[in-house]
Amino acid sequence: MAEILVLVDHADGAVRKPALELLTLARRIGEPTAVVLGAGEAAASIAATAGEYGATTVYVADGAEFADQLVVPKVDALTQIAKDKGVAAVLVTSSGEGKEVAARVALRLGSGLITDAVELEAGENGPVATQSVFAASYQVKSAVSHGVPVITVKPNSAAPEAAPAAGTIENVTVAFTGNAAKVVSRTPRVSTGRPELTESAIVVSGGRGVGAAEGFAVVEKLADSLGAAVGASRAAVDAGWYPHSNQVGQTGKQVSPQLYIAAGISGAIQHRAGMQTSKTIVAVNKDAEAPIFDLVDYGVVGDLFEVLPQLTDEIGAR
Amino acid sequence: MTLRIAVCVKYVPDATGDRGFADDLTVDRDEVDGLLSELDEYAVEQALRISEESDDAEVTVVTVGPDDAKDALRKALSMGADKAVHVNDDDIHGTDVIGTSAILAKALEKTGFDLVLCGMASTDGTMGVLPALLAERLNLPQVTLLSEVSVEDGLVKGRRDGDAATELLEAPLPAVVSVTDQSGEARYPSFKGIMAAKKKPVEELDLDDLEIDADEVGLAGSWTLVESVAARPARTAGTIVTDEGDGGKQLAAFLSAQKFI
């Protein structure tokens, strides 16, 4: 079977969940192999995890370049491996950096590029990707018609399924091309202990109705009772109540969790563009006319400061 | 030496309108008004700020698009950009992002630049890959997704807030930069700016001017193929209850039935 090359995103020495989703999707269209870049001593354990999720071979490359320069070293590595191994497709996680890496790899391979796929299936002429566009009002199915398909896939597009394979490590020496921006310093984001917004199965978001930065405490308490990530609408972020890194929407993060709970969010197009692909949507809002109620599976017209704590207590009691 | 700043902008369908697709599965531009992509306003803003900090600088806005795309250029000129370049050719219709990056790269080479500034993504396609593609085509460093940017002593410096870390970046000019909506509020055009924009030069270019063959671009030259477009099925109406003291409990019951708790 043809090799489907998966770039394995990792952080703090561990595989990030979206990479396991990519390996799961890759099995639908071919034989998954994995690429692990700049993981240092963690490479072996990351490779082992990739093997558990179906990677027959794991290509490992290390070097200071991966940390010291922006994007280009990863492009160099992925392009080189894709060419040497004659792969049938390249899959990358749809993060800011992932999309940039994929784009440059596509250009170097002379290949078409599809970003932000939410579904992937085998087609007559290679993989067919589904994208959700225009604030999720349309579903577009596309295929790459030229070169080796390079596709980025949004987190939460598939549930990771273990499928043990050899996971044989093959070390790769990369010829770096340079001409990259220098990373002068890197400050890891302080962990809140909550799941990453784009990767979390459940997201609880607060908006203008939360009223103040302190108001987010009820949102956070509910999120913690569900093991959820916390999101915020643009209005709440612009007001300075919550960090931009947590903004859900067109100019923030696009999330696609199993469950999305919107508290005090009206549901303007800017916000809908970031959350409308969520599987189940719940809203709590005082305004019965808020457009968010057009999207919901379940809505409560009420004061979030009454409803959320009661819900949190109920969850705690179960 | 004049610092030549080129800002790539896009004319996009208004997101508050009813966006859709034409029969050839390209974006229907007739049904919805267009405007300058909001995220590109931040790039124009940073170009103007860098220009204001510099002894001698010139800001050129560049777009690829149909006749109406002039509206996007006019907006940028009324904000304060000095001149504009409009690549417009019927054969461009349906070009994908790889082809668009080829056209823009040629237009930028023809225009000349020391710094290319872009918004982080368009508000219609939202791919966010064009700046990286330009860097690849122009063989320049990419300094992208910046929430802060400055130019000094021939270097571009910036801050990139990623999922896992905040990075401080640096590259020599020329370079390709993209900025996020955190880079700084975009200014509103003044009346004076709007009037002045009418007199600013807009250079028109077509594919011949850029020595690009028509079959390299457009739907035929696209390296991706849209197989189908379907409006998302309307959501079945959800259950909506009014809180009368037990809204949280009712919500808990729903979440329990859905096996979330």
Side-chain angles (χ1 to χ4, degrees):
Chain A
M1 253 200 314
E3 252 184 75
I4 309 297
L5 197 59
V6 170
L7 177 60
V8 174
D9 204 5
H10 55 86
D12 302 325
V15 178
R16 293 179 74 156
K17 184 167 146 263
L20 304 179
E21 297 168 13
L22 289 185
L23 287 165
T24 304
L25 286 169
R27 290 203 298 275
R28 296 187 194 166
I29 56 176
E31 174 196 313
T33 57
V35 176
V36 176
L37 304 174
E41 288 174 0
S45 71
I46 290 173
T49 306
E52 284 167 30
Y53 283 83
T56 54
T57 307
V58 184
Y59 306 106
V60 172
D62 205 1
E65 288 84 351
F66 293 113
D68 294 348
Q69 298 171 28
L70 189 68
V71 173
V72 180
K74 289 180 181 170
V75 175
D76 293 334
L78 205 52
T79 308
Q80 180 182 318
I81 295 164
K83 279 186 178 167
D84 285 354
K85 304 299 171 186
V87 303
V90 179
L91 303 184
V92 182
T93 302
S94 261
S95 59
E97 180 181 88
K99 291 203 279 189
E100 292 181 333
V101 169
R104 297 184 70 149
V105 168
L107 208 48
R108 288 191 189 181
L109 293 176
S111 292
L113 169 73
I114 294 172
T115 59
D116 296 323
V118 294
E119 180 67 53
L120 210 54
E121 59 203 317
E124 279 178 24
N125 304 307
V128 176
T130 304
Q131 294 161 296
S132 182
V133 308
F134 289 158
S137 52
Y138 286 88
Q139 297 241 311
V140 174
K141 286 187 187 235
S142 312
V144 167
S145 54
H146 197 281
V148 176
V150 179
I151 300 171
T152 77
V153 181
K154 278 181 139 183
N156 282 320
S157 295
E161 290 164 21
T168 312
I169 290 183
E170 190 177 321
N171 287 302
V172 175
T173 305
V174 179
F176 293 108
T177 58
N179 219 2
K182 188 165 82 179
V183 179
V184 179
S185 73
R186 177 177 285 114
T187 313
R189 175 155 292 159
V190 180
S191 172
T192 58
R194 296 192 180 94
E196 223 282 304
L197 185 56
T198 55
E199 297 173 13
S200 183
I202 304 179
V203 174
V204 183
S205 284
R208 202 189 299 272
V210 170
E214 300 73 45
F216 263 90
V218 297
V219 174
E220 290 179 333
K221 278 197 186 124
L222 174 57
D224 291 345
S225 73
L226 290 163
V230 175
S233 74
R234 184 172 180 172
V237 170
D238 283 352
W241 302 342
Y242 224 69
H244 179 257
S245 52
N246 295 68
Q247 183 178 318
V248 173
Q250 186 163 45
T251 58
K253 299 255 166 66
Q254 307 207 347
V255 301
S256 188
Q258 295 298 317
L259 171 63
Y260 188 83
I261 302 178
I265 291 175
S266 67
I269 183 81
Q270 143 71 235
H271 192 74
R272 280 161 40 196
M275 49 64 76
Q276 206 163 344
T277 52
S278 305
K279 312 293 181 293
T280 298
I281 298 174
V282 167
V284 178
N285 200 307
K286 273 200 278 201
D287 176 10
E289 303 297 314
I292 192 89
F293 285 122
D294 295 340
L295 302 181
V296 298
D297 298 285
Y298 198 91
V300 179
V301 179
D303 184 346
L304 70 94
F305 291 103
E306 306 279 339
V307 177
L308 264 53
Q310 191 177 65
L311 174 58
T312 306
D313 288 347
E314 282 291 310
I315 294 166
R318 276 164 205 254
Chain B
M1 279 266 289
T2 306
L3 177 70
R4 298 168 301 167
I5 307 170
V7 190
C8 302
V9 301
K10 189 174 183 188
Y11 177 75
V12 299
D14 188 344
T16 59
D18 209 5
R19 296 175 295 180
F21 292 86
D23 291 344
D24 65 355
L25 304 187
T26 62
V27 175
D28 186 345
R29 289 179 177 274
D30 294 333
E31 293 298 320
V32 180
D33 288 340
L35 74 178
L36 171 62
S37 172
E38 184 200 330
L39 289 166
D40 292 343
E41 292 184 13
Y42 297 95
V44 174
E45 176 63 33
Q46 288 307 315
L48 296 172
R49 290 189 195 182
I50 291 167
S51 163
E52 286 155 5
E53 289 290 312
S54 149
D55 295 334
D56 180 17
E58 183 180 61
V59 177
T60 308
V61 281
V62 184
T63 199
V64 179
D67 292 349
D68 291 345
K70 263 186 201 58
D71 292 353
L73 295 176
R74 286 286 167 215
K75 173 80 185 279
L77 291 171
S78 63
M79 287 172 72
D82 299 296
K83 59 193 179 75
V85 174
H86 184 186
V87 185
N88 185 5
D89 195 309
D90 288 346
D91 289 328
I92 291 172
H93 175 79
T95 303
D96 67 359
V97 70
I98 299 265
T100 302
S101 71
I103 298 169
L104 262 178
K106 286 272 179 73
L108 288 165
E109 279 170 344
K110 193 173 171 72
T111 304
F113 62 86
D114 302 300
L115 174 66
V116 178
L117 259 166
C118 306
M120 60 183 280
S122 67
T123 55
D124 57 349
T126 65
M127 293 179 80
V129 298
L130 186 102
L133 291 171
L134 281 180
E136 181 69 34
R137 288 196 182 274
L138 297 168
N139 197 24
L140 297 176
Q142 70 169 86
V143 199
T144 46
L145 297 174
L146 302 183
S147 48
E148 273 175 20
V149 60
S150 64
V151 172
E152 44 192 307
D153 304 327
L155 288 176
V156 53
K157 298 180 180 188
R159 196 183 89 219
R160 172 167 164 130
D161 294 315
D163 286 342
T166 288
E167 293 164 332
L168 295 181
L169 305 171
E170 187 181 288
L173 295 177
V176 176
V177 167
S178 76
V179 296
T180 72
D181 60 336
Q182 294 301 293
S183 57
E185 199 65 32
R187 68 194 66 187
Y188 288 102
S190 63
F191 177 71
K192 204 173 135 194
I194 292 166
M195 295 313 287
K198 293 181 178 173
K199 291 181 192 139
K200 289 178 179 173
V202 178
E203 184 182 5
E204 296 264 359
L205 298 174
D206 61 16
L207 290 177
D208 281 347
D209 296 323
L210 300 176
E211 294 172 6
I212 295 172
D213 289 337
D215 59 7
E216 292 174 47
V217 297
L219 275 177
S222 172
W223 290 356
T224 47
L225 182 67
V226 175
E227 297 195 341
S228 68
V229 170
R232 188 185 166 94
R235 279 182 170 267
T236 45
T239 307
I240 296 179
V241 300
T242 301
D243 180 32
E244 283 165 358
D246 64 348
K249 287 182 181 165
Q250 290 193 44
L251 187 44
F254 169 78
L255 294 178
S256 174
Q258 300 288 318
K259 305 210 182 330
F260 286 115
I261 56 177

